[in-house]
Amino acid sequence: MVNTRTPTGAPRNALALLGSLTGAALVGALYSRSQPTVAHSPTKTPVPDFAKANLAARRLNRAAGTLALSVLFDSALEHYRGQFRNRAMYTPLVTAAMALGVSAHGTMDQRQMPHVVRDTVYVLTAIAGLAGTGFHLFNVRRKAGGVSWQNLFYGAPVGAPMAIGLSGLLGYLSERVRETPSGQTPMVWGLPAGRVVGIASGLGMAGTTGEAGLLHFRGGFHDPFMYLPVTMPPVTALVLGRTALGPAGTERRATRWWLRATAILGLSGSAFHAIGVGRDMGGWRNWEQNILNGPPIPAPPAFTGLALAGLAALSLLENHPDD
Amino acid sequence: MSDDPLITPRAARGRAPDVFHPGAWVPMKEYPQREPVDFVVIGTGAGGGPLIARLAEYGYSVIGFDAGPYFRPLEDFASDEASQSQLFWTDERLVDGANPLKMGANNSGRAVGGSTVHYAMVSLRFRPEWFRSRTLLGYGTDWPLDWREMWRYYAQAEHDLSIAGPVSYPWGPKRPRYPYRAHEINGAAEVLARGAEAMGYKWAETPLATVSAPRGDSPSCVYRGFCRVGCSTNAKQSQLVTYIPRALAAGAEIRDLAMVGRIEVDAAGRACGVHYHRNGAWHFQAARNVIVAGYAIETPRLLLNSATDRFRDGLANSSGLVGRYLMTQSNQAVYGVMDEMVRWNKGPPSLTITEHWNYDDRKDFHGGYCWMAQGPLPVEWSAAMSGSRKLWGAPLREKMADYNHQVGLKMVGEMLPHPDNRVSLANEKDRYGLPVARVTYSWHDNDKAMIQHALGEMQRSLELVGAKDIWRQENDTNHLAGTARMGNDRKSSVVNADCRSWDIPNLWICDGSVFPTTGGVNPSLTITAIALRTADRIQMLQQTGQLNF
Amino acid sequence: MTERNRYPGYDVMAKRHSLSWNDATRKVMDARLGVPREPRFLRQMEWDTLVAICERIIPQPQNRPPIPLAAYIDQKLQNDARNGFRNAALPPQREAWKKGLAAFEAEACLRYEHSFHNLKERQQDELLHRAETGQSDASVWSGMDASLFFSEHVMSDIIAAYYAHPTSWNEIGFGGPAGPRGYVRMQNGRRDPWEPVEAGPGDETRVRRENQRVR
Ligand SMILES: Cc1cc2nc3c(=O)[nH]c(=O)nc-3n(C[C@H](O)[C@H](O)[C@H](O)COP(=O)(O)OP(=O)(O)OC[C@H]3O[C@@H](n4cnc5c(N)ncnc54)[C@H](O)[C@@H]3O)c2cc1C
Ligand code: SF4
């Protein structure tokens, strides 16, 4: 028997809950305005705060970990489908698992200094992401039709490895924030860390939107909810970008709410996808087929990871005005 | 009462099967037999299905008759070639001529939904020039339809059937984006793609009437590959799960297991109803209009079997053309063996296509053809190996063991209309006591030239991708068309552009039999587009007073 | 007859209770496997000839129970299940089979003075070839076109019966029934866990183990 009906029972309740949370976050975003925190202080002297910098770093670890978690399960599924024909297909599993581990460690680590293992793992992870992109591109180009919709839809997803790359990048940035001596504005590559993190997660958000857009286009946008992840995150990315390039030291409540809403969107995406799997032929009983052919359950939280990174960027910017 | 859909009608007592939910029903309007309904439609397939739905949606009272059963795909369809012959028209037909046709599983369904219940879902548009092939290309005969108008109805059909096709289709004039994206191609389909690329031809994912993402109560295709013996997933957008439910919702009645044996004509020479056999007895349903949509064999058979003193040669037959100009499509193939495992039975059988020779006119024969990837199931495959390759005994079993390495390319080619290829009545009677059809078919020189050309091309394509043990299946044909052609005048055609018969103004024919030429692509999307147009025309004619009832 | 088993250990029936089968499939397959082994339509003499013909059209290996091909032909005739078309030169299928079997028997007696089913395989093949190529003795075929009968009935009916049987699917590595569960991995060389593995020379044992896990 198939469950081809609309969501019922527990999934529906879960959805309703997530939906209303998203809604609340959106409403919050709409009705709040940016409030300058230090606008009244005429000299804009930085008020470096050790605890806050550490908090931002840990938030970045959390973001990196969320992304790694999403990648770990997503690549496990996809590469299982691909039967691990190539040894290299284990790479994202290993790196994502390691990134997840060190991110958990980092999230709990209250010390204000980088950790050599974490640092190394994150750098390796970032490199693995780049290499993976190369592999996937090569795979697509090699297939009949080359770079065609068919291969973009069903070949190795070109954008996917970037997610693990981003996880590595965010972790790397977290370590740079940690190594900032107390009282200074965290800097990366000569730029204020808050801005770098903001731009990186904004770009990541845009890329992930592209990936979701491609796959939802493949699904013919058959469900109106499928438009959400291609409309909301781009706005988030823009808002975040504007914030990252704009004046620092201001409180950005709207941005913060958008980011929170996007984080929830990522989680509810998984719930939607789980319902989608249940709607496929044979429903969850036919999970062996449907978790592979149905919508990918672990993919949407990539948005959550990036939104969390955006939130970290926000607190860095707010706490370390650099101009 | 038996729940065997082949024995007891299911659409009865005010309800019809809900094909999407096991054991469930949908309400169905029922019309009394003695009061004439606006339309009786005979046949519920590619032509009848959309017509019943659209006419009902326009507010007419409509009854759709089908000789076949009303299946519930989720419950009734086994994953099995042999037993699923329940979908085919298996009553006897006699075949003769120099190249006798194969019927049954090859081209004739009998079910609510018609042949679309078991068709391969390939949904292609004609090349525009084919509607004027005599004038523009120098062969066949012109259609009375304008391609631009057909383009609109194609789009409507593609929308109604949620066709999954490529983002941009490489041949012909621009068409709107297909409602669903193309399916992932399988190994056998990729072989076509690589072969085409090696030859410098374009290829595309074949537009298919099976969804690549859920649509309403249809889950997406699960790539089980049993499409040609019925889709137990309901991913296939057959008329049974698309237009027929729409028709019921709009107030049409369906009578399953109802074989129409004769169309009655009144003293004024107008059709006034149909005699049909159901539940073991003959009944009469009065009607203001009768539309025949029984496909290229049963349609002429019914018209011929309905002869009266006034219409001695059968109904709508003053031109003498009912049953004539039968066309099939050449369906030759080239097969080969790959080193890798292909498992060609996974997924719908024809996932990729090249229409190169439909659009390239540099060839020394008339007409066009396309070819598509293949994925036959074991019984069908063994029939090709035995019937065409003439293998039996140990060699057959040995070659059959290559099943999972096998690939193939199969053409769909335009055979030219010829008056001697025809359907007539035989002396033998069927189980209802009605004379059976005699189907006479011979290939002509142009047909043979095209087949040789195509076999050569397909063989080269397989050689270029490194297939081994290549052989040619030289004798296969498939889809039917013709036998009640449409045209611009009553002498050279049976119906006009509106599918209205020249002789009897309230008798219409709307199925594959109205094709004057058959084109080099599978026919059903064109049949459906014509039916959608006919429904619109009927409404228009009535509103403008050119159709009174 | 010994032959290389390309899919050792694979048994499509092991999937019977999996999601690859639905109730409708189980029902028809049960009926197929339970076909009555005794003739119901044909007489004993005709049956013997038919059994012998089936063994030549599809010679089966000794190391497994044979697919009862003659039983399926008899069943088809008993139910008069038709294909939907008939070459106008042939009588209806029941009559065609009865005539054809009688003709093979008559020709066997005429040429070799033995019943068809008692002939050597080589002799049986010889008679089948003559029919296939239209060289049969026209007198014993009483007007029926032997080569048409051979292609339309002997070959198609018997071979279709063989490849409708799960045992033959094991042989060719066909995944068998598939629904509600279909397939996931569409590319060349890819295999879903519920599809058989093909053995190359030498890796029989490993493949057999893998195939025993196919469900
Ligand atoms: C195996 C196979 C694969 C195919 N694949 C494709 C494909 O991929 N693409 C494509 O375009 N086409 C395909 N076709 C062809 C396509 O299915 C037909 O061209 C199309 O369905 C014909 O439409 P129709 O309306 O004329 O007749 P049908 O769809 O055949 O419908 C006719 C209906 O009328 C009923 N009927 C007939 N006479 C009577 C009567 N006297 N009383 C009551 N009912 C009657 C029959 O039972 C039948 O249900 C395929 C056909 C087959 C057999
Ligand atoms: S492959 Fe798709 S369309 Fe064909 S039978 Fe299976 S689910 Fe239906």
Side-chain angles (χ1 to χ4, degrees):
Chain A
M1 247 208 57
V2 235
N3 175 10
T4 51
R5 271 172 250 198
T6 36
T8 43
R12 167 180 283 179
N13 296 339
L15 248 193
L17 188 70
L18 279 167
S20 33
L21 283 177
T22 316
L26 277 172
V27 170
L30 285 176
Y31 287 94
S32 61
R33 282 200 203 98
S34 357
Q35 303 231 326
T37 40
V38 284
H40 302 298
S41 117
T43 49
K44 269 195 180 181
T45 27
V47 194
D49 181 334
F50 168 81
K52 282 191 173 158
N54 178 263
L55 190 65
R58 280 161 52 208
R59 281 186 173 153
L60 279 173
N61 288 128
R62 187 176 63 179
T66 310
L67 266 175
L69 190 70
S70 164
V71 172
L72 177 62
F73 284 102
D74 202 40
S75 66
L77 274 185
E78 288 299 326
H79 288 183
Y80 167 65
R81 173 216 284 274
Q83 296 182 289
F84 294 100
R85 306 194 98 218
N86 184 329
R87 283 274 167 80
M89 290 167 80
Y90 287 104
T91 319
L93 270 74
V94 175
T95 49
M98 292 198 311
L100 183 59
V102 297
S103 299
H105 178 261
T107 309
M108 287 178 303
D109 184 1
Q110 309 222 352
R111 289 168 300 176
Q112 181 65 358
M113 54 178 145
H115 191 290
V116 60
V117 175
R118 280 205 309 257
D119 218 356
T120 323
V121 165
Y122 281 134
V123 170
L124 285 178
T125 306
I127 294 174
L130 281 178
T133 307
F135 261 116
H136 282 199
L137 216 66
F138 172 73
N139 175 304
V140 162
R141 297 207 39 172
R142 207 188 38 177
K143 296 179 76 166
V147 183
S148 60
W149 286 107
Q150 168 71 216
N151 294 335
L152 289 176
F153 287 156
Y154 302 107
V158 176
M162 279 321 282
I164 190 63
L166 277 169
S167 168
L169 177 66
L170 293 176
Y172 175 82
L173 294 177
S174 144
E175 298 305 307
R176 301 293 76 74
V177 171
R178 277 183 206 261
E179 73 190 2
T180 307
S182 185
Q184 287 181 24
T185 298
M187 303 288 280
V188 189
W189 304 315
L191 297 166
R195 295 184 187 275
V196 174
V197 174
I199 300 280
S201 32
L203 289 178
M205 190 86 71
T208 309
T209 304
E211 183 87 1
L214 180 74
L215 293 181
H216 284 193
F217 177 50
R218 179 180 98 184
F221 288 98
H222 66 88
D223 188 318
F225 281 116
M226 291 168 80
Y227 286 104
L228 266 185
V230 294
T231 46
M232 237 181 94
V235 177
T236 319
L238 280 180
V239 174
L240 191 60
R242 209 193 58 183
T243 308
L245 299 174
T250 25
E251 194 187 327
R252 302 273 186 184
R253 286 191 32 208
T255 312
R256 172 158 287 125
W257 279 108
W258 264 111
L259 285 165
R260 286 182 183 154
T262 310
I264 294 173
L265 174 82
L267 294 179
S268 48
S270 285
F272 272 113
H273 285 191
I275 291 168
V277 166
R279 275 186 67 182
D280 279 337
M281 188 61 189
W284 271 98
R285 259 184 357 118
N286 190 16
W287 63 271
E288 276 174 300
Q289 166 154 30
N290 290 342
I291 55 166
L292 295 174
N293 270 3
I297 295 172
F303 283 119
T304 309
L306 291 165
L308 291 177
L311 285 169
L314 213 57
S315 47
L316 280 170
L317 281 170
E318 284 175 1
N319 297 321
H320 301 282
D322 51 43
D323 46 6
Chain B
M1 214 192 279
S2 153
D3 184 44
D4 186 341
L6 296 143
I7 295 175
T8 315
R10 277 179 172 168
R13 294 190 303 281
R15 63 183 200 175
D18 175 351
V19 288
F20 292 109
H21 301 108
W25 301 88
V26 291
M28 181 182 77
K29 193 158 176 178
E30 282 180 297
Y31 296 94
Q33 294 188 357
R34 245 168 307 150
E35 272 171 48
V37 287
D38 294 336
F39 290 92
V40 150
V41 181
I42 303 155
T44 57
L51 207 48
I52 299 166
R54 294 300 292 145
L55 290 174
E57 285 167 355
Y58 280 134
Y60 298 110
S61 52
V62 191
I63 306 176
F65 285 84
D66 208 293
Y70 205 134
F71 287 113
R72 294 172 175 274
L74 296 176
E75 295 153 272
D76 297 332
F77 289 177
S79 299
D80 179 56
E81 286 178 274
S83 61
Q84 284 297 109
S85 60
Q86 60 175 342
L87 301 181
F88 307 134
W89 191 284
T90 49
D91 283 1
E92 205 93 291
R93 290 160 172 175
L94 298 186
V95 295
D96 61 8
N99 306 89
L101 298 182
K102 288 193 187 312
M103 318 292 295
N106 230 30
N107 45 33
S108 305
R110 179 168 58 199
V112 173
S115 305
T116 69
V117 176
H118 66 84
Y119 80 151
M121 311 170 297
V122 175
S123 301
L124 299 170
R125 297 181 178 203
F126 265 36
R127 174 180 167 182
E129 286 87 338
W130 292 341
F131 291 104
R132 293 181 69 206
S133 63
R134 166 59 55 197
T135 311
L136 298 177
L137 303 167
Y139 69 88
T141 175
D142 288 353
W143 290 53
L145 297 174
D146 183 85
W147 78 269
R148 280 158 302 209
E149 195 187 6
M150 286 299 288
W151 234 237
R152 287 207 305 279
Y153 285 106
Y154 277 131
Q156 190 180 339
E158 284 161 356
H159 171 268
D160 290 351
L161 300 174
S162 306
I163 304 297
V167 174
S168 54
Y169 196 70
W171 302 277
K174 207 170 145 42
R175 55 186 74 179
R177 172 162 307 149
Y178 287 104
Y180 278 70
R181 302 292 79 76
H183 291 269
E184 180 176 6
I185 66 175
N186 63 11
E190 203 213 347
V191 162
L192 178 144
R194 284 196 283 125
E197 283 177 7
M199 293 172 86
Y201 298 167
K202 290 183 242 172
W203 64 274
E205 300 103 332
T206 312
L208 294 176
T210 174
V211 285
S212 56
R215 182 226 199 183
D217 282 329
S218 288
S220 43
C221 175
V222 295
Y223 306 113
R224 53 193 282 275
F226 280 82
C227 324
R228 294 186 48 168
V229 292
C231 177
S232 61
T233 312
N234 271 341
K236 176 194 280 194
Q237 300 296 294
S238 69
Q239 318 302 50
L240 176 61
V241 306
T242 54
Y243 288 113
I244 299 297
R246 264 173 71 175
L248 291 172
E253 181 186 343
I254 300 293
R255 293 202 188 140
D256 55 337
L257 296 181
M259 171 74 181
V260 175
R262 184 180 174 82
I263 299 167
E264 189 66 38
V265 182
D266 65 15
R270 290 173 62 92
C272 59
V274 294
H275 298 274
Y276 67 99
H277 192 274
R278 200 186 195 205
N279 284 321
W282 286 99
H283 309 272
F284 179 74
Q285 174 66 52
R288 297 189 185 91
N289 287 276
V290 172
I291 306 183
V292 191
Y295 208 15
I297 309 297
E298 292 308 312
T299 288
R301 176 179 173 223
L302 178 60
L303 295 172
L304 297 176
N305 271 337
S306 300
T308 63
D309 282 348
R310 179 168 181 166
F311 301 105
R312 284 173 189 283
D313 300 325
L315 303 185
N317 199 16
S318 66
S319 60
L321 294 180
V322 168
R324 296 217 179 248
Y325 293 109
L326 171 68
M327 289 162 284
T328 186
Q329 289 184 308
S330 31
N331 200 209
Q332 280 64 18
V334 179
Y335 295 104
V337 171
M338 306 297 284
D339 288 335
E340 327 110 280
M341 283 290 253
V342 178
R343 302 187 204 256
W344 62 349
N345 59 294
K346 293 205 250 188
S350 305
L351 285 160
T352 48
I353 182 171
T354 177
E355 275 208 64
H356 180 84
W357 288 109
N358 272 335
Y359 288 85
D360 189 329
D361 291 324
R362 287 166 302 173
K363 50 201 172 199
D364 51 8
F365 53 85
H366 289 308
Y369 68 87
C370 60
W371 73 69
M372 278 172 271
Q374 284 301 293
L377 296 171
V379 173
E380 190 192 349
W381 177 233
S382 70
M385 295 284 262
S386 60
S388 302
R389 208 179 184 182
K390 305 286 174 213
L391 291 178
W392 54 276
L396 172 70
R397 278 190 56 231
E398 198 187 306
K399 293 284 182 206
M400 282 297 292
D402 284 333
Y403 182 75
N404 282 334
H405 292 268
Q406 208 73 55
V407 293
L409 304 173
K410 207 163 216 261
M411 74 183 293
V412 169
E414 175 169 18
M415 285 199 162
L416 297 194
H418 201 282
D420 293 342
N421 287 335
R422 63 183 293 207
V423 176
S424 54
L425 296 179
N427 292 327
E428 266 177 53
K429 303 264 166 66
D430 70 0
R431 54 181 154 148
Y432 308 104
L434 303 166
V436 306
R438 173 187 290 272
V439 182
T440 307
Y441 209 91
S442 305
W443 303 352
H444 291 85
D445 288 344
N446 191 76
D447 306 329
K448 293 176 190 167
M450 174 187 295
I451 289 168
Q452 283 317 311
H453 187 269
L455 286 169
E457 289 280 289
M458 294 188 290
Q459 173 155 1
R460 193 154 70 86
S461 185
L462 279 192
E463 283 164 359
L464 286 170
V465 296
K468 305 188 177 110
D469 193 22
I470 292 177
W471 67 279
R472 297 171 164 205
Q473 181 185 22
E474 307 241 2
N475 63 354
D476 210 10
T477 58
N478 56 359
H479 316 120
L480 305 169
T483 71
R485 49 162 48 180
M486 59 163 61
N488 283 317
D489 76 281
R490 57 188 315 136
K491 288 224 172 50
S492 60
S493 59
V494 179
V495 296
N496 67 14
D498 298 337
C499 293
R500 192 175 191 178
S501 76
W502 293 110
D503 298 351
I504 302 176
N506 66 341
L507 177 65
W508 314 68
I509 297 163
C510 190
D511 60 14
S513 24
V514 302
F515 282 31
T517 57
T518 182
V521 296
N522 314 41
S524 62
L525 194 73
T526 305
I527 299 175
T528 298
I530 291 173
L532 292 172
R533 179 184 181 277
T534 301
D536 282 1
R537 287 290 301 159
I538 284 176
Q539 204 229 12
M540 243 276 286
L541 291 171
Q542 205 221 357
Q543 279 179 348
T544 53
Q546 301 169 71
L547 174 63
N548 301 308
F549 53 83
Chain C
M1 202 165 77
T2 52
E3 51 184 29
R4 186 165 84 86
N5 186 352
R6 292 180 53 171
Y7 299 90
Y10 173 51
D11 181 7
V12 71
M13 292 304 292
K15 290 163 79 170
R16 186 178 188 280
H17 295 288
S18 77
L19 280 165
S20 286
W21 291 47
N22 62 8
D23 286 341
T25 305
R26 280 184 277 269
K27 202 167 123 204
V28 300
M29 294 313 295
D30 287 351
R32 181 141 331 134
L33 297 177
V35 64
R37 307 297 168 111
E38 299 300 320
R40 289 171 296 164
F41 177 77
L42 295 172
R43 282 175 299 136
Q44 191 59 43
M45 193 65 224
E46 296 161 336
W47 172 259
D48 291 341
T49 310
L50 176 61
V51 169
I53 291 177
C54 289
E55 274 166 20
R56 298 318 301 147
I57 296 297
I58 306 261
Q60 302 193 47
Q62 303 293 318
N63 56 3
R64 60 153 168 85
I67 300 174
L69 295 172
Y72 292 114
I73 306 303
D74 185 74
Q75 185 179 49
K76 186 168 191 267
L77 296 174
Q78 173 72 19
N79 301 340
D80 203 13
R82 306 194 185 187
N83 305 334
F85 61 99
R86 185 180 103 226
N87 193 302
L90 287 174
Q93 69 165 353
R94 285 182 164 180
E95 193 186 331
W97 265 110
K98 280 199 166 267
K99 261 191 174 174
L101 291 173
F104 277 115
E105 177 63 12
E107 207 168 354
C109 294
L110 194 75
R111 283 188 180 271
Y112 303 109
E113 294 171 344
H114 278 296
S115 267
F116 187 91
H117 66 274
N118 287 331
L119 297 184
K120 295 199 176 66
E121 290 179 354
R122 191 181 41 75
Q123 295 168 324
Q124 292 171 337
D125 283 353
E126 161 79 17
L127 289 181
L128 289 168
H129 271 298
R130 296 181 77 88
E132 181 180 23
T133 50
Q135 299 165 352
S136 298
D137 202 317
S139 63
V140 302
W141 282 82
S142 46
M144 190 164 79
D145 183 326
S147 93
L148 211 50
F149 172 71
F150 187 85
S151 62
E152 302 281 297
H153 289 294
V154 175
M155 292 247 278
S156 37
D157 292 352
I158 296 175
I159 292 169
Y162 186 78
Y163 286 103
H165 196 284
T167 302
S168 75
W169 303 339
N170 295 339
E171 217 165 77
I172 64 172
F174 173 54
R181 181 177 66 187
Y183 296 107
V184 174
R185 294 167 184 82
M186 302 282 275
Q187 291 175 36
N188 270 346
R190 299 284 168 90
R191 162 185 166 262
D192 288 326
W194 50 96
E195 292 182 289
V197 187
E198 188 182 36
D203 59 358
E204 267 238 357
T205 330
R206 177 187 65 83
V207 168
R208 181 178 301 276
R209 238 181 297 117
E210 277 202 57
N211 277 336
Q212 278 159 354
R213 283 200 297 269
V214 169
R215 284 278 177 282

